[in-house]
Amino acid sequence: MKDKLSLLVQHAITSALTAGHLHSLEAIPPIVMDIPKISAHGDYSTNIAMTIAASQKKAPRDIAGIIIDHIEDSDRLLSKVEVAGAGFINFFIAQSKWYEVLKAVHDKDKAYGTSQLGLGKCVQIEFVSANPTGPLHVGHGRCAAVGETLSAIFKAAGYDVEKEYYVNDSGRQIRTLGESVFVRYQQLLGKTIDLPKDGYQGAYIKDLARMLLDQEGQRLMDLPEDEAVAVCARFAAEKILAEIREDLVAFGISFDNWFSEQSLYDSGAVQAVMIQCKDQANVYEHEGALWFRTKDFGDEKDRVVVRANGLTTYFASDIAYHKDKFERGFDRVLDIWGADHHGYIPRVAASIQALGYDADRFQVLLVQMVNLLRGGKPVTMSTRAGEFVTLREVIDEVGRDAARFLFLLRHYESPLDFDLELAKKESNENPVYYVQYVHARISNILRKAEERGYTNISWDEDFPELINLSAEIELIKLMARYPEILGQSALLMEPHRIPFYLKELAGAFHAYYHDRNKHKVVSDDARLSAARLYLVSAIRIIIRNGLALMGVSAPETM
RNA sequence: GCCCCCGUAGCUCAGGGGAUAGAGCAAAGGAUUCCUAAUCCUUGCGCCGCAGGUUCGAUUCCUGCCGGGGGCACCA
């Protein structure tokens, strides 16, 4: 609807220009079509006359009048157009046109709301990518929910999406993991030995040591320490990664690709990119270490890629990794990181630029922290001491639906308070059920209707006479906004717009439903019942589609 | 010290330059012989952190300041 109107206005301006009623413009600016806050200002409104007023040297209201005169509404979309306020053009959509929206919802069904905004462009989204040194925690859960839903939104907007998990299965942290497990392993065999000072202290390390002991017996004691640690590291990382995968499956998150950091070393990719950097003079030696000239590309200082002890930093493999991403030919490369990694962005962006790739195609979304609460009180967590609430525990306690919904209810850039008690509440304080309940309610209505013989819910030409209460038209207008909301959340990469919209639609439906004296869906009037069933089942389609994007179930009963 | 995010109703938050700033919760009152009350209706609720700037117009964009959170290694 919005797009149609924008086109009308664009054509009107063009034709006004041709007719000489407007002074020539360098370019017609994009037509911004807003939905006014006040219904008296129309269904849609544009400020275009005001924005071009300066260059036209005419009063905005006069320009608006000229534009209106040139609008050719061949489809009879509009019932009224007016100039208002300082120069707004307000559009009132003919009521008959709203029924086409209603039909479109049914006709497109699962595809209602989808678009071709993405033009088939290929975007890679990398998210979660937690190191396999411990279980996923709630922060990862939020990143997972954002990444997964953003991927779904992109797909719905006509992008080709590939979801990837980068596994940091190499480097110092994995080594530390191995050392920690080996210490616990030795302790199980009665040795008095302390964890390294930067070791992992969580209870899961002891569990892993126990499993290793059961599987391998005492044979690690006969190996040189380096080898024993390596065995422990590999064993532990694999086990932890397997659990991460299980947790993600339980949370409804799936990846197209799991990319191993180690594979970049095994294939020689890291070494190759280092040589390339040397050839291109992007790196230099200083005090025994190899530094990358990230400062030349906007970072605040240069960064080490190979330490004086000969070991590469994670940055080195990250350079190779991002080079690999670009070589795979994605139009856009999107990383979703926890906000604590923000200082890392300039150097990765710098390295991409230094290697000659278009840095505009690379974007990082930073997802802010999750503050876990229980009944309003903070749940204390310390990763160092290994005391934290895992994603698995949250899913087990509050359920996947509530967790997914609440993680998405905030803009990802805002810190999120996640209250475990609230998430479990089956009341109006909890928005999850509010939305799901609409689906269950309509499903129930449809079941009752079926019992009474309404088995085929389809469009009939007399529906416009039957669906004409203002509450009903308002519902359809709200449904017309869904594709716009979906498109916006794709362009702005803002998944939170979906749950907000669903809450609004749910509220409008509940209000409509509740006034049952006026709006009883299934009544003695067969024609009216058929029409209203058509209306409410369209709402159900949108609720179901929206929840599906969020990875939240749409229950038939509650 | 530098960098990132946040600051809007009592609380939690929406509002990508526009007309009279919204929603949920909480508070008070009301609604169920009915397709699910996990619901609905009514009522009140605001120096949009402060100060400048850009603009015909700023909660929105820019700068500075104040307050809260996070990050600043040859760690990730």
Side-chain angles (χ1 to χ4, degrees), chain A residues 229-535:
Chain A
V229 166
V231 169
C232 288
R234 203 176 324 119
F235 175 84
E238 274 173 23
K239 282 278 182 232
I240 292 172
L241 191 60
E243 273 183 39
I244 287 175
R245 285 173 188 257
E246 280 175 31
D247 289 352
L248 288 169
V249 168
F251 202 40
I253 311 292
S254 66
F255 287 93
D256 301 307
N257 202 18
W258 295 73
F259 195 103
S260 155
E261 181 190 11
Q262 185 62 45
S263 75
L264 290 166
Y265 287 97
D266 296 345
S267 69
V270 177
Q271 208 186 347
V273 82
M274 287 302 114
I275 291 168
Q276 183 189 345
C277 288
K278 278 179 196 159
D279 290 349
Q280 297 174 342
N282 286 324
V283 293
Y284 61 92
E285 278 192 42
H286 176 66
E287 291 179 355
L290 197 63
W291 298 69
F292 199 108
R293 299 183 190 279
T294 48
K295 194 165 183 226
D296 292 353
F297 299 92
D299 198 2
E300 55 182 60
K301 55 180 275 195
D302 291 339
R303 308 288 176 175
V304 170
V305 283
V306 182
R307 288 181 276 175
N309 62 11
L311 295 176
T312 52
T313 62
Y314 280 87
F315 182 39
S317 45
D318 273 334
I319 295 170
Y321 178 45
H322 283 89
K323 175 181 158 69
D324 185 272
K325 288 188 184 192
F326 275 92
E327 285 184 347
R328 277 187 268 166
F330 300 113
D331 297 304
R332 292 174 66 184
V333 171
L334 192 60
D335 288 4
I336 299 179
W337 296 346
D340 53 340
H341 286 63
H342 96 265
Y344 210 69
I345 298 174
R347 79 189 72 167
V348 174
S351 70
I352 287 168
Q353 221 180 322
L355 292 179
Y357 298 105
D358 181 2
D360 289 343
R361 281 158 57 200
F362 171 69
Q363 272 175 295
V364 181
L365 300 191
L366 293 177
V367 179
Q368 286 291 329
M369 319 246 87
V370 177
N371 301 312
L372 207 57
L373 308 173
R374 185 180 289 285
K377 287 181 189 152
V379 177
T380 53
M381 283 191 284
S382 156
T383 313
R384 285 241 36 87
E387 292 164 12
F388 45 76
V389 178
T390 63
L391 175 62
R392 168 63 71 169
E393 287 165 342
V394 172
I395 300 171
D396 289 347
E397 183 170 346
V398 311
R400 170 180 150 179
D401 286 344
R404 288 285 294 260
F405 197 99
L406 295 173
F407 280 146
L408 292 171
L409 198 54
R410 291 278 167 278
H411 192 294
Y412 60 82
E413 271 181 350
S414 296
L416 166 69
D417 288 337
F418 189 97
D419 195 310
L420 291 162
E421 292 305 322
L422 177 69
K424 277 192 294 186
K425 269 192 190 163
E426 296 185 349
S427 75
N428 46 10
E429 287 169 73
N430 190 340
V432 186
Y433 302 102
Y434 187 77
V435 174
Q436 287 185 316
Y437 192 44
V438 171
H439 192 271
R441 248 186 178 165
I442 298 175
S443 298
N444 193 55
I445 294 172
L446 294 175
R447 267 192 304 276
K448 297 272 172 172
E450 204 174 335
E451 287 167 17
R452 293 175 60 168
Y454 298 96
T455 48
N456 181 27
I457 293 169
S458 58
W459 175 257
D460 194 283
E461 289 306 324
D462 65 0
F463 283 180
E465 297 161 34
L466 300 164
I467 304 172
N468 55 25
L469 297 170
S470 65
E472 293 170 328
I473 301 301
E474 290 307 313
L475 277 170
I476 300 174
K477 287 181 182 177
L478 209 41
M479 289 193 251
R481 274 176 50 198
Y482 181 65
E484 291 157 16
I485 297 284
L486 203 45
Q488 268 189 324
S489 27
L491 288 176
L492 302 172
M493 301 187 285
E494 293 181 341
H496 74 278
R497 290 170 185 272
I498 306 292
F500 272 96
Y501 169 80
L502 292 179
K503 275 168 62 178
E504 197 178 343
L505 181 62
F509 170 76
H510 281 312
Y512 172 74
Y513 168 90
H514 210 274
D515 209 346
R516 16 186 124 174
N517 294 329
K518 278 187 275 179
H519 308 146
K520 188 137 164 105
V521 176
V522 182
S523 64
D524 294 334
D525 183 335
R527 288 170 66 232
L528 186 61
S529 301
R532 288 185 174 165
L533 285 166
Y534 192 80
L535 176 74

